[in-house]
């Protein structure tokens, strides 16, 4: 069972592969099993609660099963998890790759093979940035990179399974040792992979040189996920982010100049400690002016051990909820505007499978990450087809 980010999904898939290699059989999440591995997340209080509930539910349904718990929450709050009834062992973040092998590696290479069409490939782990709200560097440690030769052989293996798209994942991918650009250039040459996306990259690490090269690649898609976190410079300072809104704007403008109307998904945190009404309005104004296609919105969540935890001016939940709502409305408006601009155009769509909850439809994404649904046709799954939107 996996909670949290794409990196966790890639790592869970690698753990499952280890088990299969050792002679176990993988079953789907709702079946009963002898061993369960729960890969946890610590990003918010809510995600930790969800992890605890899942562990309890597994134990209730499978009282004699072995339950291993790993991931970021397990790294930070081992004792809390050990106390939950049914938990057999807790493996911290650095021990994640050693659930079966017992060897602790400094970086656990991982990629997912679960889906037929899209794989998540872990490029990097950990972070040296210590933004004031974030507990991830404490859970995942300092930045480490998966060696290039390992990445290339994993990408070739993914291609050999017929997967067409790879999403590069990591905690702070732009911090790849020796630079990310050489990795992108080498991955671009892997035969069989037709599409790449970068799951998320810090704006200050997205260099003009990288943008120049991506704009010439036929495989890297016109889709960027860039964390903004706040559209107010004073809040960004308190978050200890390494850029200001002017730098963020210049990156967006440069990408548009080179690549046209690309899809920008940006992360924002609503209700950081001390965020005033003015600062929040500045943020809304800034986001409107740069017009991303989508906002990934997170209400600020107090994480023990971080600098922001001890800051003055923590906002009531009601204020955070209001701000999340205002950002959601803005995101819906921007997303509709973006999609409308492509109405009637011909786009290449990679169909991934049946739409959850409606088996008569199949769904997939265009290169610029517009979701498309069409009547189900088995022959289209895993293929890239031209569609009039
Ligand atoms: S860059 Fe900041 S937000 Fe991202 S993982 Fe590192 S510390 Fe956390």
């Amino acid at each position: 069972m996996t909670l949290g980010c794409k990196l966790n999904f890639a790592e869970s898939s690698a753990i499952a592969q280890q088990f299969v290699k050792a002679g176990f059989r993988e079953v789907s999440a709702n079946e009963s099993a002898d061993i369960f591995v729960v890969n946890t997340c610590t990003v918010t209080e809510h995600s930790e609660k969800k992890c605890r509930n899942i562990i309890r539910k597994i134990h209730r349904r499978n009282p004699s099963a072995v339950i291993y718990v790993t991931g970021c929450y397990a790294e930070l709050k081992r004792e809390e998890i050990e106390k939950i009834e049914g938990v057999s062992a807790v493996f911290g973040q650095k021990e994640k790759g050693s659930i079966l092998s017992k060897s602790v590696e400094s970086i656990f290479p991982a990629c997912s093979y679960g889906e037929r069409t899209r794989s998540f490939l872990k490029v990097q782990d950990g972070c040296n940035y210590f933004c004031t709200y974030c507990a991830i560097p404490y859970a995942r440690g300092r930045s480490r990179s998966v060696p290039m030769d390992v990445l290339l052989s994993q990408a070739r293996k993914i291609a050999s399974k017929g997967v067409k798209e790879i999403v590069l994942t990591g905690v702070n991918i732009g911090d790849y040792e020796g630079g990310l650009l050489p990795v992108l250039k080498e991955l671009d040459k892997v035969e069989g992979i037709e599409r790449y996306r970068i799951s998320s990259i810090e704006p200050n690490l997205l260099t003009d040189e990288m943008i120049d090269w991506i704009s010439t690649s036929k495989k890297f898609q016109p889709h960027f996920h860039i964390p903004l976190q706040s559209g107010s410079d004073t809040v960004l300072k308190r978050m200890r982010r390494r850029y200001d809104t002017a730098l963020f704007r210049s990156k967006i403008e440069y990408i548009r100049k080179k690549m046209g109307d690309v899809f920008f998904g940006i992360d924002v945190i609503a209700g950081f400690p001390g965020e005033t009404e003015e600062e929040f309005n500045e943020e809304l104004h800034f986001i409107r002016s740069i017009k991303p296609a989508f906002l990934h919105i997170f209400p600020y969540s107090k994480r023990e051990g971080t600098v922001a935890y001890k800051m003055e001016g923590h906002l009531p939940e009601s204020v955070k909820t209001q701000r999340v709502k205002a950002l959601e409305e803005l995101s819906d408006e921007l997303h509709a505007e973006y999609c409308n601009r492509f109405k009637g155009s011909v786009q290449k769509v990679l169909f991934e499978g049946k739409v959850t909850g409606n088996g008569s439809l199949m769904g997939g994404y265009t290169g610029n990450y517009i979701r498309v649904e069409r009547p189900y046709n088995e022959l289209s799954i895993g293929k890239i087809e031209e569609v009039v939107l």
Side-chain angles (χ1 to χ4, degrees), residues 126-137 170-172 200 202 205 227 229 239-242 269:
C127 182
N128 302 337
Y129 273 22
F130 293 92
C131 301
T132 56
Y133 53 82
C134 183
I136 302 301
V171 174
N172 191 347
S200 173
E202 290 290 301
L205 297 173
Q229 311 304 20
M239 289 177 163
R240 267 195 224 143
R241 300 289 288 164
R242 302 195 177 191
I269 294 174

Side-chain angles (χ1 to χ4, degrees), residues 99-113:
I99 294 181
L100 272 180
S101 67
K102 302 266 177 276
S103 69
V104 178
E105 294 178 49
S106 68
I107 184 154
F108 170 40
C111 58
S112 68
Y113 294 119

